[in-house]
Amino acid sequence: MKQFALIGAAGYIAPRHMEAIKKNHCELTTAYDINDSVGIIDSFFPNARFFNEFELFDRHIDHLSRTGNKIDYISVCSPNYLHDAHIRYALRSGTHVICEKPLVLEVDKLDSLVAMENATGKKVNTVLQLRLHPAIINLKNKVDKEPNDKKHDVDLTYITARGDWYQTSWKGDINKSGGVAANIGVHFFDMLHFVFGELIENNVHHFSKTRSSGYLEYQKARVRWFLSIDANDLPDCAIEKGERTYRSITVQNKEIEFSGGFNDLHNICYQQILEGRGCGVEQARCSIQALSEIRRKTPTGYTSDSHPFLR
Ligand code: NAD
Ligand code: HP7
């Protein structure tokens, strides 16, 4: 049974990691967060030790390794800008890593992680769960069979409304989250690369604290994309159903149904990692490079290849 520690145990996503550890028959022995609102641990691992000071957490991890109870994996669920520091800590402690997305905010950080993986012999895995969504797997299987020069016209619309708290939290701080495109859009930038191949062109039409939009050309697709956390952008079909999330991908004007089926993906992600088939640093590179470019480009405003929601 693999032993886990978790950094960022009090946060929104941490329970999904606890559940994935449990469902994959592993044990969470140690948890750490600077916030002590972590009673959720009892629902999964009532015997886990919890620390809210890094030094005490570190002492315990070291103690476990000296007493034959070495941690196998450290899961990182801290804010995005802390990922690389927490990954380096885990690798230095001799554990593999499962880190939430985006693995890092800048591509040069990936190279230092590769160097540390090589030096420690431990692997850095990341959570890119849209690659595991059945609808996306079906689409990839279809596209893989097509000739390399076939280009699809794709529209991607991803609206997931967030209240005022989002901007007040670290998620609303571009230096800490990478902005809305990095924090939420990373999933679809990765998924588009996974399905349609190498990224060729990356144009930004709009970039703000609540909304981003642009045009991406991949080896096998031309993509108009629109991402928003503003409830005012929700289309009528979502509002009528009382939903605050609208996710749509059309390929050649045909809808790929992928609005449901998100719940179990962390469990599958952990299963694949434990089987040695996890997404690592190299799989994360394309989307992180794209996001770094998007942050630096000057938005052009509406153009002929803009997503219709931007009009
Ligand atoms: P959150 O703010 O709810 O949780 C982050 C936690 O990290 C908080 O409990 C905070 O106290 C803790 N923390 C902050 N600084 C710390 C430090 N120095 N040491 C230890 N703990 C520290 O955020 P969240 O939504 O849980 O996001 C956490 C990570 O998960 C982010 O990387 C985010 O991008 C990712 N995430 C992924 C998905 C997904 O669908 N895969 C969904 C949500 C979040
Ligand atoms: N929610 C919270 O209560 N707290 C949060 O911190 C986040 C959401 P979905 P997920 O916002 O940071 C997506 O849109 O899919 C509420 C991104 N993942 O389904 O779980 C929210 O208000 C993720 O990468 O959220 O997460 C809703 O009521 C990104 O970090 C409900 O949870 C995260 O938003 C569900 O909201 C974020 C994907 O898009 C796959």
Side-chain angles (χ1 to χ4, degrees):
M1 187 192 267
K2 299 289 183 203
Q3 310 288 307
F4 276 76
L6 176 62
I7 299 179
Y12 163 74
I13 205 65
R16 275 195 242 174
H17 287 256
M18 294 177 200
E19 180 184 285
I21 293 167
K22 186 142 199 128
K23 285 212 165 148
N24 282 285
H25 312 291
C26 298
E27 180 80 11
L28 181 76
T29 66
T30 314
Y32 163 54
D33 199 299
I34 53 171
N35 184 316
D36 58 13
S37 207
V38 288
I40 186 72
I41 296 173
D42 288 354
S43 305
F44 297 96
F45 297 102
N47 298 322
R49 295 287 308 272
F50 172 69
F51 301 91
N52 62 0
E53 288 178 78
F54 176 75
E55 294 79 0
L56 304 187
F57 170 68
D58 174 49
R59 180 196 283 160
H60 187 66
I61 297 286
D62 184 62
H63 169 76
L64 291 175
S65 75
R66 289 173 198 287
T67 52
N69 297 304
K70 194 173 167 309
I71 294 286
D72 299 293
Y73 285 85
I74 293 186
S75 295
V76 178
C77 297
S78 51
N80 302 347
Y81 72 107
L82 298 176
H83 286 177
D84 66 311
H86 287 147
I87 293 169
R88 280 196 302 275
Y89 168 73
L91 292 173
R92 275 199 305 274
S93 304
T95 77
H96 299 296
V97 185
I98 301 179
C99 181
E100 266 298 349
K101 46 48 59 177
L103 192 54
V104 290
L105 294 179
E106 295 296 344
V107 134
D108 60 340
K109 303 270 184 318
L110 291 177
D111 300 329
S112 57
L113 294 185
V114 171
M116 273 200 80
E117 277 185 315
N118 292 337
T120 58
K122 298 294 171 186
K123 167 125 198 253
V124 177
N125 301 279
T126 187
V127 178
L128 291 169
Q129 79 262 33
L130 255 56
R131 290 185 183 220
L132 306 171
H133 193 293
I136 303 304
I137 294 171
N138 286 343
L139 179 62
K140 178 174 169 57
N141 290 341
K142 182 172 161 284
V143 170
D144 280 353
K145 291 192 192 105
E146 294 169 350
N148 274 341
D149 59 354
K150 172 154 185 179
K151 281 239 191 217
H152 293 279
D153 286 313
V154 176
D155 276 351
L156 198 147
T157 319
Y158 208 97
I159 301 164
T160 180
R162 297 284 182 270
D164 182 59
W165 66 267
Y166 188 98
Q167 300 301 348
T168 308
S169 78
W170 66 266
K171 295 185 181 191
D173 180 342
I174 194 166
N175 295 318
K176 294 185 173 177
S177 68
V180 76
N183 194 46
I184 297 180
V186 62
H187 291 287
F188 68 71
F189 291 112
D190 174 66
M191 175 269 283
L192 290 167
H193 161 58
F194 176 61
V195 174
F196 296 111
E198 289 312 310
L199 181 59
I200 297 165
E201 200 175 329
N202 182 358
N203 301 333
V204 182
H205 301 153
H206 181 88
F207 187 90
S208 71
K209 278 177 86 68
T210 55
R211 201 185 277 121
S212 292
S213 185
Y215 170 83
L216 294 159
E217 187 168 339
Y218 291 87
Q219 198 184 337
K220 291 185 168 186
R222 289 179 285 263
V223 184
R224 302 188 298 181
W225 63 274
F226 180 88
L227 166 67
S228 171
I229 56 168
D230 185 339
N232 294 316
D233 287 322
L234 286 166
D236 290 343
C237 61
I239 295 167
E240 279 155 18
K241 287 189 248 166
E243 289 172 352
R244 286 176 58 83
T245 303
Y246 174 79
R247 303 181 182 106
S248 158
I249 309 175
T250 62
V251 178
Q252 305 298 121
N253 287 319
K254 193 169 168 279
E255 188 74 42
I256 308 290
E257 182 42 59
F258 90 125
S259 45
F262 279 75
N263 289 345
D264 217 27
L265 300 179
H266 275 75
N267 299 338
I268 305 170
C269 183
Y270 266 67
Q271 185 189 339
Q272 296 209 339
I273 290 168
L274 290 161
E275 291 169 1
R277 298 187 290 123
C279 281
V281 173
E282 292 316 321
Q283 280 92 344
R285 195 175 286 273
C286 178
S287 53
I288 288 172
Q289 175 76 47
L291 288 163
S292 158
E293 286 171 19
I294 286 168
R295 271 197 301 279
R296 282 172 178 76
K297 286 192 172 182
T298 307
T300 59
Y302 188 84
T303 70
S304 57
D305 55 13
S306 288
H307 190 289
F309 276 38
L310 194 62
R311 211 173 282 146

